[in-house]
């Protein structure tokens, strides 16, 4: 028999790798375009507010020249509107998540995914590039476009999580999804790099580059993505062992057995498919679960509420970090964009490491609770960071590790666990719906948070914003406490049973 590590790797085929990469880069491109807006806020704010007129201005620049794009009287008003746009986007994104999750369990995931990617790219091109080229500056137009953008982008996350859930079973899910959930952070890094590279030509070119790349990615996904192992004729033994493929009873088994008789049976099935089809009864068609039924599944509501608090903090860093670094420390916008990626680097490492630890423990909640408790200390430490880029980067990566890591776990691995639990026997199509509920509830919390961040900052300063983050992080711990106690009690019972056996 091969070593355990070889047995673990043997469960995956090249189809698993393709599904992993295509879903990974789908969300990378989406988050890269989303990150562009936060990276160019300083430039947009300057464009939407009037410049100071001097004595020579009337000679070459009449009043209408600088008042065409005069949306706000000063920078504070522009900042509040940018915060309102973030909230508008997240509210529409949250509503869309509730709808797209249900749609994703009933319509081909590839169609929904590509529609979201390509449609969102077109809207972002109009919002950031076309309006600037045509000198169209209108508050209501910006708000309307951002509502549509939020609805379109909401179609992507439930679909990619559902596709990953179809291909990868519970064995090693914490590590696989922890690694895969780095897609958002990688997208943030890519978006920051692309935006800072072309920002000197104007913020409209940052939107142009990311929207074109995202649209091209949507086309590639449409022609290359396989949403389920069934599409290539793989049996449940060789594909994944997840409930969405054959039966829910396999959800806790490894993706592929190392036993010799299993291998022989697989070879026999491939050589004699007609006999297999005659002997086996026809597979039951999976039924999609209802929205209210999915909301009442064990663990869905507590994790959704915890994610609402946590996503508020995580997305506040996402939307406001470059703006904070530029305004608070006086660093150039391009430098602030590049420095902000350290938060995402910490999130990538945190999600992967914490997912692996949760796999080894067999429990998710204890890992989340410890990380969130340490996150509160990291937030206090970062709020007192000196004006030194090296120290700031180190503290930022640490904060990302303890904030971004749990956020990635809840939105991916834990959502997949909730969408494949034993309570779903007989109603298997639920993963996209559950993912939409968890992420949608999180987005509602984040939507409220973005406007509160801009309001608190304008009236009380950035230090109070960080205190607000600490309170929200503590709220996440409170919501997962019942789940934490249940898992700790289960671990204690297992330990006592093991002692009795010894």
């Amino acid at each position: 028999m091969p070593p355990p590590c070889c047995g673990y790797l043997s469960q995956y085929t090249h189809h698993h790798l393709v599904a992993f990469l295509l879903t990974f880069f789908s969300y990378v491109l989406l988050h890269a375009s989303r990150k562009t807006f936060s990276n160019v806020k300083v430039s947009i704010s300057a464009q939407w507010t009037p410049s100071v007129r001097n004595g020579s201005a009337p000679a070459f620049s009449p009043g209408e020249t600088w008042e065409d794009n005069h949306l706000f009287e000063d920078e504070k008003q522009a900042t509040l509107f940018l915060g309102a746009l973030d909230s508008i986007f997240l509210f529409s994104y949250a509503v869309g998540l509730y709808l797209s999750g249900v749609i994703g369990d009933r319509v081909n995931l590839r169609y929904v995914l590509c529609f979201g990617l390509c449609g969102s790219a077109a809207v972002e091109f109009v919002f950031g590039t076309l309006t600037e080229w045509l000198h169209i500056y209108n508050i209501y137009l910006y708000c309307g476009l951002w509502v549509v953008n939020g609805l379109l982008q909401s179609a992507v996350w439930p679909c990619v999580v559902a596709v990953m859930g179809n291909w990868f079973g519970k064995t090693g899910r914490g590590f696989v999804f922890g690694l895969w959930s780095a897609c958002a952070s990688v997208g943030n890094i890519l978006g920051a790099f692309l935006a800072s590279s072309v920002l000197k030509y104007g913020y409209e070119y940052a939107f142009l580059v990311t929207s074109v790349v995202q649209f091209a990615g949507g086309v590639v996904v449409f022609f290359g993505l396989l949403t389920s192992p069934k599409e290539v004729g793989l049996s449940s033994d060789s594909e994944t062992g997840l409930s969405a493929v054959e039966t829910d009873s396999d959800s806790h088994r490894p993706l592929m057995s190392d036993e010799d008789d299993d291998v022989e049976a697989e070879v026999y099935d491939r050589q004699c498919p007609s006999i297999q089809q005659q002997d086996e009864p026809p597979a039951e068609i999976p039924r999609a679960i209802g929205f209210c039924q999915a909301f009442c599944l064990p663990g869905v509501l507590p994790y959704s509420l915890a994610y609402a608090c946590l996503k508020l903090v995580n997305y506040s860093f996402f939307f406001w970090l470059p703006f904070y670094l530029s305004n608070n420390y006086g660093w150039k916008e391009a430098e602030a964009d590049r420095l902000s990626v350290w938060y995402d680097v910490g999130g990538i490492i945190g999600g992967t490491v914490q997912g692996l630890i949760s796999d080894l423990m067999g429990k998710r909640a204890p890992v989340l609770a410890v990380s969130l408790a340490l996150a509160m200390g990291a937030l206090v430490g970062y709020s007192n960071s000196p004006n030194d880029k090296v120290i700031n980067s180190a503290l930022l990566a640490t904060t990302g590790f303890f904030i971004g890591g749990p956020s990635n776990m809840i939105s991916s691995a834990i959502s997949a666990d909730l969408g494949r639990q034993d309570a779903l026997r007989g109603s298997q199509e639920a993963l996209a719906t559950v993912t939409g509920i968890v992420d949608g509830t999180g987005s509602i919390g984040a939507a409220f948070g973005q406007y509160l961040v801009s309001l608190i900052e304008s009236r009380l300063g950035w230090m109070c914003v960080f205190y607000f983050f600490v309170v929200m992080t503590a709220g996440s711990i409170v919501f997962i406490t019942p789940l934490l106690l249940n898992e700790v009690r289960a671990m204690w019972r297992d330990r006592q049973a093991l002692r009795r056996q010894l």
Side-chain angles (χ1 to χ4, degrees), residues 2 52 181 185 217 241 247 343 426 468 473 491:
V52 178
S181 64
S185 298
T247 62
Y343 178 83
F468 175 59
T473 305
M491 293 171 62

Side-chain angles (χ1 to χ4, degrees), residues 155-448:
V156 177
W157 183 252
C159 292
V160 292
V161 173
V163 171
M164 283 291 293
N166 288 341
W167 281 99
F168 294 89
K170 188 171 183 179
T171 301
R173 179 178 288 161
F175 174 74
V176 172
F177 274 77
L179 185 63
W180 176 83
S181 64
C183 55
S185 298
V186 173
N188 294 342
I189 295 172
L190 178 63
F193 172 76
L194 292 177
S196 61
S197 299
V198 299
L199 192 57
K200 59 184 177 182
Y201 303 108
Y203 74 84
E204 65 271 24
Y205 291 97
F207 281 100
L208 174 64
V209 171
T210 53
S211 60
V212 169
V213 173
Q214 180 181 324
F215 190 92
V219 174
V220 172
V221 168
F222 181 82
F223 290 104
L225 180 64
L226 297 173
T227 61
S228 170
K230 289 181 179 179
E231 296 184 15
V232 289
L234 292 176
S235 65
S236 60
D237 288 337
S238 61
E239 63 194 20
T240 164
L242 280 175
S243 59
V245 178
E246 291 293 340
T247 62
D248 191 68
S249 61
D250 288 337
S251 61
H252 300 283
R253 298 179 184 174
L255 302 187
M256 191 173 186
S257 175
D258 290 326
E259 299 296 332
D260 294 337
D261 54 350
D262 290 342
V263 177
E264 292 174 0
E266 180 183 351
V267 174
Y268 178 80
D269 290 342
R270 291 180 178 178
Q271 292 176 348
C272 307
S274 59
I275 298 177
Q276 180 188 12
Q277 293 175 0
Q278 293 174 3
D279 294 341
E280 293 184 356
E284 181 183 356
I285 298 176
R287 295 181 293 108
I289 193 173
F291 179 84
C292 294
Q293 186 182 356
F295 220 120
C296 295
L297 287 172
V300 172
L301 182 58
Y303 274 122
S304 297
L305 295 175
Y307 192 51
C309 297
L310 186 57
K311 191 169 185 176
L312 184 154
V313 180
N314 195 41
Y315 263 54
S316 296
F317 274 90
F318 171 77
F319 282 118
W320 289 102
L321 184 56
F323 187 85
Y324 165 75
L325 294 174
S326 181
N327 280 22
N328 195 57
Y329 297 103
W331 298 334
K332 294 181 180 179
E333 189 175 15
E335 293 178 346
D337 290 344
R338 287 191 290 268
L339 188 65
S340 67
V341 304
W342 286 104
Y343 178 83
D344 298 298
V345 171
I348 293 173
I349 300 173
T352 305
V353 172
Q354 293 171 35
L356 179 60
I357 294 173
S358 70
D359 279 342
L360 296 175
M361 293 180 60
K363 307 293 179 184
R364 312 279 192 212
V367 180
L368 286 178
V370 172
S371 181
L372 292 174
L374 295 174
M376 292 190 289
L379 286 168
V380 173
Y382 184 71
S383 66
N384 294 282
S385 173
N387 193 347
D388 183 277
K389 294 180 181 179
V390 176
I391 298 177
N392 193 286
S393 300
L395 292 174
L396 195 56
T398 304
T399 306
F401 183 94
F402 293 119
I403 292 288
S407 179
N408 291 344
M409 280 186 61
I410 294 177
S411 63
S412 57
I414 290 176
S415 294
D417 290 342
L418 296 173
R420 299 294 186 194
Q421 57 183 291
D422 293 337
L424 289 169
R425 293 183 185 277
S427 184
Q428 299 166 12
E429 296 295 344
L431 209 161
T433 302
V434 171
T435 302
I437 290 173
V438 174
D439 204 18
T441 307
S443 296
I444 290 176
F448 280 110

Side-chain angles (χ1 to χ4, degrees), residues 96-107 158 288-291 432-434 436:
L97 282 168
Y98 289 127
L99 299 175
S100 60
V102 176
I103 295 172
D105 281 330
R106 291 162 173 80
V107 182
I289 193 173
F291 179 84
T433 302
V434 171

